Amino acid sequence: MVDYQYIYDYYSNTPHLIKWVWWVSALLAISIIVLAVYLKFIRLSLRKKSNETAKFKSEYEALLVEYLYSGDESGKLTDSQKLIINRIKDSIKTPSKRKIIVSVLYNLMNEVSGEMSDSIKTFYYETGLIYYAFERLKSKKWNIIGKGISELRRFGIDEASHVIAPFINHPKSEVRSETHLYMVNLFLFEGLSFLDNLKAPLSEWIQIQLLETLQRFDNQEICDIRPWLKSENNSVVLFALKLAQIYNQFEVKETLMDLLAHENKEIRIETIDVLAHLYGIEAKEMLKTNFNDLSLEEQISFFKLLEKLVVPDDEPFVEAYLFHKNFEIQLLALKILKEINFDKYIGFTKSSNNNKSLAMVKAVKML
Amino acid sequence: MNKKKIVLAEDNSTLSLLLKFRLEKEGYELFVATDGKEALELIESQSPDLILSDIMMPFVSGLEVISHLRNKLNLSTPIIVFSSAGQEEMVLKAFNLGANDFMGKPFSPNELVIRIKRLIGT
Amino acid sequence: MDTSSVKIILQILHYLFFGYAFAAIISYIILSFISSKETIEYIKKRSFVNYKDILSSKMSPSITIIAPAYNESLNIVENVRSLLSNHYVNYNVVIVNDGSKDDSLERLIKAYDLEKVHYIVNEKITTKPLREGIFKSKNPAFEKLMVVDKENGGKADALNMGLNISTSKYVACIDVDCLLLEDALQKMIKPFLEVTDSKVIAAGGVIRIANSCEIRGGKLIDVNLPKNLLVQSQILEYLRAFLLGRMAWSRLNGLLVISGAFGIFDKEIAIAVGGYDTNTVGEDMEIIVRMRRYMEEKGEKYKVSYIPDPLCWTEAPDTYKVFISQRNRWTRGTIETLRKHRKIGFNPKYGWFGLVSYPYWLIFERLAPIFEAIGLVYFMILIVLQEVRWDFAISFFLLAYLFSVVFSIVALYSEELTFHQYKKKGTGFKLVLLSAIEPFLLHPFVLYAAIRGNYDYYFNKKKKWGNMVRKGLVNN
């Protein structure tokens, strides 16, 4: 009892600040205990969840495989297949199980071709999973919408396109990207028409993915890319330039020429590369005459092109840049000269009086 | 007659199960590994007649499996590798290391059965 | 001096210490909240990524991994193999052998079938000259590899040599003894390709501690919690620093440091600012501050990104001696960088960078150990003068202690709900227990090392790099 009395006396005589400190400390101590216990709980439930996921996964895998092998020639569902579908229909009411089933389906869809992947798609329709994906598109949360689009793309559901199209200019870049991927995966070049109305920039990340997707399909008829080359959206222009190069768009020459005067430097440099790729000599002659109007990066770009397309007639031009103050231009000029007129080049190794340049000339000789 | 043994190394468990089902129906005995490390253990303990291996797997890749088999164990067991889009370079490397055939994903299990039969019979 | 003025001074000191501690605590709370927000956003976004396309695309931008090596012959062959096995199409690896006195070069030549090649180095940044020259492999399987043998010039100088040699758009600067996960480059390059409204100049990764983890053939097979308490404490410290601190600062675009063990830079800008500073022991922090300063002065929008996935695993010191020398070096690096770029601090011309990030680092990172040391001395004087109100002292100490434990546990939550690397049964309990004792295991030594760092910086200028004794990541 004495102790309590002592504590009470101490407490009532303590300044407010210290009282406050004791209280906060007590609060922190309690929260540490609560947090520690809850952490234990979280770890347990995480472990339980991953075990359960594994269990359900193998259960659904077995069901799916059974479903796939119990089909017959007719293409209609057999009785045993209907039975399996009904079992799955029950399970997908639980969101966590639905997620597992979708991932199992998708994992296999990607790996098998022909009838089997069609059969998986039928399964996706018949079980009603497709309905849930459509529901997701109505969500208010951007990540749910994105997931929905991604799922519809993966299962190749082309009838969703009119519902998905409005997301082309969605404020969240993830949703936009998923929309663009959906369009291109399902409708290939036709799907690219979203570029006509694209306001937001197209990141390099998504550009690469779109191009990869397009390249997965052979023998595609590419559409007219000119409108995109003239787009107000610079990232669309850059993307169209890549298309021009990959799909050898010879007919867009005029538009490309116009782009050499584009206000954006990156576009001008890319255009030089594309022109060089498509037209070679012709583009070279044109750029050579304008060489001095080009920025340094463009000049370097031009020299790289020259290295590939050089002819003996270019010698006087190249000679003028042998001692250019830019390392890359000088290096390229020396390499080119060595290529087209070795004797003259050897002459330089003796005559040059600038030490640094001489070292460079000699070094190029060793290459 | 003894069943012919096949080791299947594939990290996609659904595909493994699908192929196991199918190949067992064709009369083969299947040993399934989920990564390259397990595959090597199975190869050494079971000495299979054929190996099916994905190129990209966790821990030990399909390429390393082939190289281990051909160079360390000096076995000439036929190998079919599975590859995905964009792994063309790896397929070339796989052939250089001694793979016998390859199947690009997505593939049809029926076609795989035909190729297996061509390599080792039933 | 009469007693009343002494009392006033004491009062003022009390309030100063109190105010400082209070501000620090508030800042930690704010940072925790920001980081939780950023983490949730990051996890949501991450679920959308399909890395497969980038990894196999030839259109992906080129990256050069630059790994300086000094007397690393023990593990260099193995470590290079791990660097060569990253899942990315368009990359190469430049090992810069910085005048090693051991047989690193010979081992590399033998293991990778190297031969000397002619290569013209564009010396955009002045470095120490080449020694044996530049080597490439005769075996096409190792075509990504280039080994540069140069005269010794320190880590910064070696990295600069790599910057000169690289022909890629981006460079990844890493410690050669780090273990990079296979998807590290893909994940780290993403922020650069994703932005459309500003320019990413650099991206930093998380450093995780690899002691006691199972590593085979350059790959991380299993994550374990080490037995050594010093290493355990550092694991907790890293979780706090990376999952709470840096995550929050990355949302504020206020990161001042990218760990020297693993970071990717836009090469053009790294070269435009003159590369790494060879006169500091904190070159990893200094280059970020300088790149930021450059962008601010040019008036361009930019960002320093941060990727919280566990991609880079490295060995942490497991003895107090090595630990103290490492932290001593870090302290000196911070002092040097902040002093060199003094102009930025509290300068509205540098915007947020000058008004928030720099001052925060100065006050709560750079000066924290000094305040603490003064506080301790002051406390001891009070003891001698028998002026201590013990209930005050104990209650405040308890408060600070409990707060630090809560902060650690919050970091553990963040780890469990995101990357969940320590999955084994019983580890959770150990980590909580560790949160309770870590303040006594690590903090006194951190403080000591920081004070030594300050002392060495001001009074012992000849102090060089502390050498870290490596046991090697290759365990069997």
Side-chain angles (χ1 to χ4, degrees):
Chain A
M1 281 315 279
V2 182
D3 282 341
Y4 287 123
Q5 189 59 43
Y6 173 74
I7 290 172
Y8 180 77
D9 287 345
Y10 165 76
Y11 183 78
S12 37
N13 293 325
T14 300
H16 283 302
L17 178 69
I18 301 302
K19 272 185 194 161
W20 186 80
V21 169
W22 284 117
W23 275 113
V24 175
S25 298
L27 202 72
L28 286 175
I30 293 168
S31 60
I32 288 172
I33 293 167
V34 172
L35 284 171
V37 172
Y38 192 60
L39 188 73
K40 172 89 186 156
F41 171 75
I42 283 183
R43 283 180 66 91
L44 264 177
S45 68
L46 279 176
R47 202 172 301 132
K48 210 173 117 201
K49 202 173 149 198
S50 85
N51 288 341
E52 253 175 24
T53 308
K55 202 188 101 208
F56 284 128
K57 194 177 165 211
S58 57
E59 191 186 318
Y60 296 136
E61 275 173 347
L63 270 179
L64 178 64
V65 169
E66 199 189 326
Y67 163 88
L68 289 173
Y69 283 131
S70 44
D72 61 12
E73 303 293 301
S74 71
K76 281 194 188 125
L77 292 176
T78 60
D79 287 344
S80 49
Q81 282 183 320
K82 280 180 189 155
L83 225 65
I84 294 170
I85 284 176
N86 281 333
R87 273 188 68 182
I88 294 286
K89 266 187 180 166
D90 265 348
S91 298
I92 60 173
K93 285 175 191 147
T94 323
S96 62
K97 290 185 183 171
R98 189 162 67 229
K99 206 170 151 191
I100 302 169
I101 295 171
V102 168
S103 82
V104 167
L105 287 181
Y106 177 64
N107 272 345
L108 196 58
M109 180 116 177
N110 249 356
E111 315 275 58
V112 293
S113 62
E115 281 167 38
M116 252 186 189
S117 88
D118 291 342
S119 183
I120 295 172
K121 200 167 157 181
T122 314
F123 187 85
Y124 184 72
Y125 276 96
E126 293 293 331
T127 50
L129 282 168
I130 186 172
Y131 164 77
Y132 289 96
F134 270 98
E135 278 302 298
R136 285 181 145 191
L137 300 182
K138 295 178 195 154
S139 172
K140 286 203 174 71
K141 291 185 183 150
W142 66 267
N143 55 323
I144 306 278
I145 298 175
K147 288 278 168 199
I149 300 173
S150 155
E151 191 178 313
L152 292 165
R153 161 172 63 88
R154 289 163 164 209
F155 288 98
I157 310 296
D158 46 14
E159 62 262 38
S161 68
H162 61 282
V163 198
I164 291 178
F167 298 115
I168 283 171
N169 285 309
H170 194 275
K172 264 286 184 215
S173 74
E174 279 73 18
V175 178
R176 283 202 305 273
S177 300
E178 284 302 331
T179 310
H180 305 161
L181 281 175
Y182 172 89
M183 294 298 171
V184 172
N185 260 280
L186 270 65
F187 306 103
L188 304 171
F189 283 107
E190 226 172 281
L192 276 181
S193 61
F194 77 83
L195 292 173
D196 300 340
N197 307 314
L198 186 67
K199 309 267 183 320
L202 205 57
S203 75
E204 196 155 339
W205 183 264
I206 184 75
Q207 289 187 29
I208 292 175
Q209 292 190 56
L210 294 177
L211 291 170
E212 284 294 305
T213 308
L214 290 170
Q215 280 172 292
R216 244 184 281 145
F217 303 92
D218 300 329
N219 306 324
Q220 285 300 316
E221 195 63 33
I222 184 171
C223 40
D224 183 10
I225 63 166
R226 264 170 286 204
W228 303 328
L229 285 172
K230 290 177 191 156
S231 172
E232 307 243 309
N233 186 335
N234 285 348
S235 62
V236 171
V237 179
L238 284 167
F239 181 69
L241 282 169
K242 288 180 190 138
L243 286 173
Q245 176 157 5
I246 295 170
Y247 294 96
N248 295 319
Q249 295 298 293
F250 292 104
E251 57 275 24
V252 298
K253 187 173 166 190
E254 292 306 313
T255 323
L256 287 177
M257 290 299 182
D258 293 342
L259 282 181
L260 284 174
H262 199 278
E263 55 181 10
N264 181 299
K265 190 158 85 179
E266 204 184 334
I267 291 180
R268 295 198 305 269
I269 294 173
E270 283 296 317
T271 308
I272 293 178
D273 284 348
V274 177
L275 281 172
H277 172 82
L278 292 177
Y279 304 103
I281 310 279
E282 205 182 324
K284 184 189 80 180
E285 289 307 323
M286 198 205 72
L287 288 166
K288 215 162 94 177
T289 41
N290 297 339
F291 186 78
N292 288 323
D293 301 333
L294 303 180
S295 70
L296 187 62
E297 285 100 326
E298 290 167 277
Q299 290 182 338
I300 294 171
S301 215
F302 172 73
F303 260 94
K304 281 181 190 155
L305 146 80
L306 191 62
E307 193 187 9
K308 285 178 223 150
L309 300 169
V310 73
V311 292
D313 285 349
D314 293 322
E315 195 184 308
F317 176 81
V318 172
E319 237 179 280
Y321 298 95
L322 289 178
F323 299 102
H324 196 277
K325 61 183 184 306
N326 179 278
F327 175 89
E328 272 164 274
I329 292 184
Q330 187 188 12
L331 178 64
L332 286 163
L334 284 168
K335 271 189 186 166
I336 294 168
L337 181 70
K338 186 179 142 195
E339 182 83 27
I340 53 179
N341 191 341
F342 192 70
D343 291 337
K344 194 165 205 171
Y345 176 80
I346 292 296
F348 271 111
T349 58
K350 287 161 192 147
S351 69
S352 172
N353 44 15
N354 173 329
N355 265 339
K356 206 178 158 204
S357 288
L358 187 63
M360 183 102 161
V361 173
K362 280 192 172 152
V364 171
K365 195 179 146 197
M366 304 287 289
L367 287 175
Chain B
M1 204 191 92
N2 272 342
K3 284 182 176 177
K4 288 206 165 147
K5 292 177 177 176
I6 298 177
V7 165
L8 167 63
E10 165 64 60
D11 57 345
N12 181 336
S13 56
T14 321
L15 182 64
S16 282
L17 191 70
L18 186 86
L19 296 179
K20 184 172 173 318
F21 234 74
R22 182 69 213 267
L23 295 172
E24 280 177 350
K25 244 205 260 171
E26 297 290 330
Y28 299 105
E29 192 177 0
L30 261 280
F31 299 91
V32 179
T34 51
D35 61 49
K37 213 177 82 194
E38 271 179 43
L40 288 175
E41 283 161 13
L42 281 176
I43 290 167
E44 291 193 33
S45 63
Q46 301 295 341
S47 40
D49 302 285
L50 176 82
I51 295 157
L52 303 171
S53 172
D54 194 22
I55 283 196
M56 286 265 250
M57 280 182 296
F59 306 134
V60 177
S61 77
L63 294 179
E64 285 168 88
V65 172
I66 305 172
S67 139
H68 189 84
L69 190 76
R70 296 282 187 259
N71 303 325
K72 293 264 166 63
L73 304 175
N74 283 317
L75 292 175
S76 57
T77 319
I79 305 175
I80 302 178
V81 291
F82 303 154
S83 68
S84 305
Q87 296 178 343
E88 290 76 14
E89 259 178 70
M90 284 179 143
V91 173
L92 285 180
K93 277 188 192 156
F95 276 116
N96 284 336
L97 287 167
N100 299 66
D101 202 348
F102 92 100
M103 298 277 294
K105 285 177 181 174
F107 60 76
S108 124
N110 288 336
E111 196 186 330
L112 179 69
V113 172
I114 295 168
R115 296 207 195 186
I116 291 174
K117 283 189 178 157
R118 207 175 53 201
L119 275 171
I120 59 168
T122 21
Chain C
M1 230 179 341
D2 57 60
T3 40
S4 69
S5 53
V6 169
K7 266 199 175 140
I8 290 170
I9 292 172
L10 285 182
Q11 280 286 339
I12 291 173
L13 273 176
H14 278 137
Y15 280 114
L16 266 180
F17 281 126
F18 183 75
Y20 182 78
F22 189 71
I25 286 181
I26 293 292
S27 82
Y28 285 144
I29 293 173
I30 293 173
L31 288 178
S32 302
F33 273 107
I34 297 173
S35 94
S36 70
K37 232 181 144 173
E38 177 72 2
T39 308
I40 291 169
E41 176 103 359
Y42 179 78
I43 295 289
K44 271 189 196 163
K45 283 187 174 174
R46 195 180 57 158
S47 63
F48 283 99
V49 181
N50 180 12
Y51 288 104
K52 244 178 162 177
D53 289 329
I54 301 294
L55 116 102
S56 60
S57 174
K58 291 191 174 63
M59 278 164 287
S60 54
S62 51
I63 308 175
T64 298
I65 295 183
I66 306 176
Y70 178 68
N71 292 348
E72 300 268 0
S73 90
L74 188 59
N75 297 316
I76 193 148
V77 170
E78 194 69 18
N79 291 335
V80 168
R81 196 178 301 276
S82 134
L83 293 182
L84 288 172
S85 62
N86 221 285
H87 288 169
Y88 191 81
V89 174
N90 211 349
Y91 86 103
N92 65 335
V93 177
V94 174
I95 305 294
V96 185
N97 188 26
D98 189 34
S100 294
K101 295 188 187 79
D102 61 5
D103 61 346
S104 301
L105 185 64
E106 288 70 29
R107 284 192 186 213
L108 285 171
I109 290 176
K110 211 173 141 227
Y112 295 104
D113 211 2
L114 302 177
E115 63 178 347
K116 200 172 164 178
V117 292
H118 292 290
Y119 193 94
I120 302 176
V121 181
N122 182 2
E123 210 182 342
K124 284 166 277 194
I125 308 164
T126 317
T127 62
K128 287 267 160 43
L130 294 173
R131 189 170 62 173
E132 295 292 323
I134 297 177
F135 297 82
K136 292 203 75 165
S137 177
K138 281 180 260 185
N139 182 346
F142 306 124
E143 63 186 358
K144 287 184 173 5
L145 178 65
M146 184 188 262
V147 175
V148 180
D149 190 67
K150 66 181 273 289
E151 283 173 17
N152 185 272
K155 190 176 168 190
D157 194 62
L159 287 166
N160 286 340
M161 174 64 91
L163 281 172
N164 283 339
I165 282 178
S166 164
T167 51
S168 304
K169 194 160 188 298
Y170 300 101
V171 289
C173 297
I174 84 153
D175 283 351
V176 75
D177 55 2
C178 274
L179 178 88
L180 276 196
L181 296 198
E182 286 163 333
D183 49 357
L185 288 181
Q186 301 173 44
K187 287 202 170 142
M188 292 286 284
I189 202 67
K190 185 170 173 244
F192 292 92
L193 303 181
E194 226 181 14
V195 287
T196 45
D197 55 348
S198 77
K199 189 177 174 71
V200 174
I201 55 172
V206 167
I207 310 303
R208 292 279 186 148
I209 291 176
N211 303 45
S212 297
C213 290
E214 192 187 335
I215 289 161
R216 226 179 297 141
K219 281 171 194 157
L220 184 69
I221 310 277
D222 197 11
V223 177
N224 293 312
L225 191 67
K227 291 226 160 50
N228 182 316
L229 278 176
L230 174 64
V231 182
Q232 281 193 8
S233 305
Q234 289 176 80
I235 288 181
L236 199 60
E237 187 196 17
Y238 277 37
L239 287 181
R240 279 195 313 256
F242 285 106
L243 294 182
L244 299 184
R246 291 210 188 163
M247 200 72 199
W249 281 111
S250 112
R251 187 179 183 96
L252 302 172
N253 193 16
L255 279 177
L256 283 201
V257 58
I258 274 181
S259 191
F262 184 36
I264 294 199
F265 300 84
D266 183 305
K267 193 186 76 182
E268 204 185 294
I269 295 173
I271 286 177
V273 301
Y276 283 92
D277 181 356
T278 50
N279 294 318
T280 172
V281 290
E283 75 287 329
D284 47 358
M285 177 176 182
E286 201 279 334
I287 193 168
I288 293 296
V289 173
R290 195 144 34 92
M291 282 169 80
R292 279 183 166 272
R293 189 172 166 178
Y294 173 82
M295 295 304 281
E296 292 281 354
E297 283 166 5
K298 259 176 75 171
E300 273 178 42
K301 264 185 106 177
Y302 70 96
K303 201 171 149 48
V304 174
S305 268
Y306 169 72
I307 303 294
D309 298 69
L311 299 175
C312 174
W313 295 70
T314 190
E315 196 199 353
D318 58 0
T319 64
Y320 278 106
K321 194 175 163 234
V322 181
F323 174 74
I324 287 169
S325 95
Q326 181 198 43
R327 295 305 159 102
N328 179 329
R329 197 175 71 234
W330 289 7
T331 304
R332 279 178 288 132
T334 306
I335 302 176
E336 279 167 353
T337 305
L338 291 178
R339 269 182 64 118
K340 186 173 167 188
H341 298 284
R342 218 170 349 210
K343 193 182 155 201
I344 297 163
F346 307 99
N347 188 339
K349 215 183 99 191
Y350 292 94
W352 180 267
F353 176 38
L355 295 177
V356 181
S357 326
Y358 185 100
Y360 185 86
W361 265 80
L362 180 69
I363 296 168
F364 294 108
E365 299 281 338
R366 158 77 184 89
L367 294 178
I370 309 260
F371 271 105
E372 200 176 338
I374 295 173
L376 280 175
V377 171
Y378 171 68
F379 185 59
M380 276 182 245
I381 292 171
L382 289 185
I383 294 179
V384 173
L385 296 178
Q386 296 196 319
E387 283 277 346
V388 182
R389 285 271 316 251
W390 284 100
D391 56 329
F392 278 44
I394 292 172
S395 63
F396 272 103
F397 177 77
L398 189 68
L399 183 71
Y401 166 73
L402 290 173
F403 182 77
S404 84
V405 177
V406 170
F407 196 59
S408 290
I409 293 182
V410 170
L412 291 181
Y413 268 85
S414 179
E415 161 74 0
E416 288 303 332
L417 297 175
T418 53
F419 305 110
H420 193 42
Q421 294 290 304
Y422 297 96
K423 292 194 181 76
K424 303 223 166 97
K425 254 190 174 152
T427 315
F429 180 67
K430 277 188 200 154
L431 287 170
V432 170
L433 205 65
L434 190 64
S435 311
I437 57 173
E438 184 260 355
F440 305 105
L441 290 176
L442 204 67
H443 188 73
F445 297 93
V446 173
L447 179 63
Y448 170 74
I451 298 298
R452 276 295 298 267
N454 273 281
Y455 174 83
D456 287 340
Y457 177 77
Y458 289 105
F459 305 109
N460 190 6
K461 294 227 165 170
K462 285 197 191 85
K463 179 96 178 174
K464 280 259 182 76
W465 275 66
N467 269 335
M468 173 150 168
V469 188
R470 298 251 174 214
K471 295 219 170 111
L473 278 180
V474 193
N475 44 14
N476 298 302

